[in-house]
Amino acid sequence: MTMFLNRRTALLAGAASLALPQAWAQGTYPSRAIQLIHGFGAGGNADVVARLVGQKLQDALKQPVVIDIKSGAGGSIATNYVAKSAPDGYNLVMLTGAHTVSAALKKSLPYDPVKDFSFISTVSSFPFVVAVRAEHPAKTLADLIALAKKDPGKITFTSVGVGSTQHMVGELLGSAANVELLHVPYRGGGAPVQAVIAGDVDILTDTLTVATPHLKSGRLRALGVTSAAAWPSIPDVPPVSSTLLGFEVRSWLGIAAAAGTPAPVVQKLTAAVHQALQDTTLQKSLAAAGSAASPCTPDEFRTMVQNEIARWHTVITKVGIPLQA
């Protein structure tokens, strides 16, 4: 099973040269603080990356960028808040791969996942890690699969919520291995990893941002990474595809505003994001968090979202995951 997001890292060079008008008809933008909102818990991948990028956006935009958490519903609460906000560029949302998963998995959403947004730019792309607590009897992914086959439905995996990309990774893992895994969702942030460390849940399927500190401390053992090849920050961890042929999942983070945001504001925000992602310190920070800087144009972002919704819908149908109310 392959899910892969190709990002354009070539845009890192010269991205800040987008033509910008000197002013916008309703005044110079920005003239006050900007909120960058995400829908997941503190300490999670969205939170860490939002804070890293927000610091650099402040420098580029010459205004404070305040990180605001509105967690719950797989990120949909935050997304809906921005979709319904004034289209003035002062409320931005850090979208995650869950945006497209929710669109494919939910019977209905309070917003249109494409039409209700002015897409700015993707920020980063990244794989997921499959890990267990250090004391877990599974030493390899093959061991874990064998345990799951021995006791169908007894081996559990966690995520930051139903409909999150982490949820889909776990479902895909079970499907690819032809085993039954039980999903135990949490609200988000660091709760899933703590549940695995405590022994309440068997498997963590999460980002390297969340997992790496616990891998380094020895509290977690990585069994595989979902990139096609070994990931630079954890080179000794084998790709899941070495056990389950063709298995690959990479996801993304990106920034959007409400639909109808004036084009000059979208252009200025896009240029600011691209400028931030050219910063070598930020690139290193993202790499340390298990991500790769991946800017794109607003049109490319919109097209990617449309394509990913279609892809996840195909996967959900094939795996047989029931649609959520």
Side-chain angles (χ1 to χ4, degrees):
M1 186 73 68
T2 299
M3 291 294 300
F4 180 69
L5 175 66
N6 290 313
R7 307 301 325 133
R8 288 192 167 187
T9 55
L11 283 169
L12 283 169
S17 63
L18 290 176
L20 299 176
Q22 293 300 311
W24 151 44
Q26 299 180 39
T28 301
Y29 173 88
S31 60
R32 55 185 170 88
I34 296 167
Q35 284 198 112
L36 178 54
I37 301 162
H38 70 79
F40 300 92
N45 190 50
D47 187 52
V48 170
V49 174
R51 294 181 191 281
L52 288 172
V53 174
Q55 291 175 359
K56 298 301 178 182
L57 286 180
Q58 289 187 156
D59 297 337
L61 296 169
K62 310 301 182 186
Q63 289 290 345
V65 175
V66 180
I67 309 304
D68 187 13
I69 300 175
K70 298 184 184 299
S71 62
S76 294
I77 292 174
T79 305
N80 186 52
Y81 179 87
V82 172
K84 302 296 194 297
S85 67
D88 56 12
Y90 288 100
N91 285 302
L92 308 177
V93 61
M94 179 67 82
L95 296 177
T96 74
H99 182 72
T100 54
V101 173
S102 293
L105 184 62
K106 299 285 187 179
K107 292 179 181 178
S108 64
L109 288 167
Y111 54 84
D112 186 291
V114 178
K115 294 179 181 179
D116 285 348
F117 298 92
S118 293
F119 295 95
I120 307 300
S121 175
T122 46
V123 170
S124 66
S125 64
F126 52 89
F128 298 86
V129 66
V130 178
V132 295
R133 68 186 181 279
E135 301 81 11
H136 199 280
K139 306 299 183 185
T140 65
L141 184 58
D143 291 342
L144 187 66
I145 293 170
L147 289 172
K149 287 183 176 180
K150 182 179 178 181
D151 293 307
K154 298 294 185 181
I155 299 297
T156 55
F157 74 94
T158 186
S159 78
V160 295
V162 174
S164 64
T165 314
Q166 289 89 331
H167 174 201
M168 292 296 102
V169 172
E171 296 285 5
L172 284 171
L173 183 68
S175 176
N178 196 28
V179 297
E180 182 183 350
L181 302 176
L182 179 64
H183 181 216
V184 182
Y186 284 79
R187 189 174 178 85
V193 71
Q194 293 303 327
V196 173
I197 290 171
D200 297 329
V201 185
D202 291 293
I203 307 168
L204 179 75
T205 54
D206 215 324
T207 63
L208 288 167
T209 305
V210 171
T212 296
H214 306 290
L215 296 173
K216 289 182 176 179
S217 72
R219 288 181 290 180
L220 288 179
R221 178 190 306 119
L223 304 183
V225 64
T226 65
S227 48
W231 193 251
S233 63
I234 49 169
D236 296 331
V237 177
V240 172
S241 61
S242 64
T243 301
L244 301 173
L245 187 64
F247 190 100
E248 184 181 356
V249 184
R250 285 177 65 176
S251 194
W252 52 272
L253 289 164
I255 296 174
T261 300
V265 175
V266 172
Q267 290 172 347
K268 190 163 189 177
L269 286 168
T270 301
V273 172
H274 291 182
Q275 179 181 325
L277 292 175
Q278 291 181 69
D279 185 90
T280 55
T281 301
L282 178 57
Q283 291 175 26
K284 290 177 181 178
S285 295
L286 289 172
S291 297
S294 302
C296 72
T297 68
D299 285 344
E300 287 171 333
F301 193 1
R302 179 180 294 271
T303 298
M304 184 272 289
V305 167
Q306 292 171 324
N307 291 341
E308 287 292 294
I309 291 171
R311 261 183 220 162
W312 279 122
H313 180 74
T314 299
V315 170
I316 288 165
T317 301
K318 184 175 182 179
V319 174
I321 301 170
L323 295 182
Q324 305 291 322

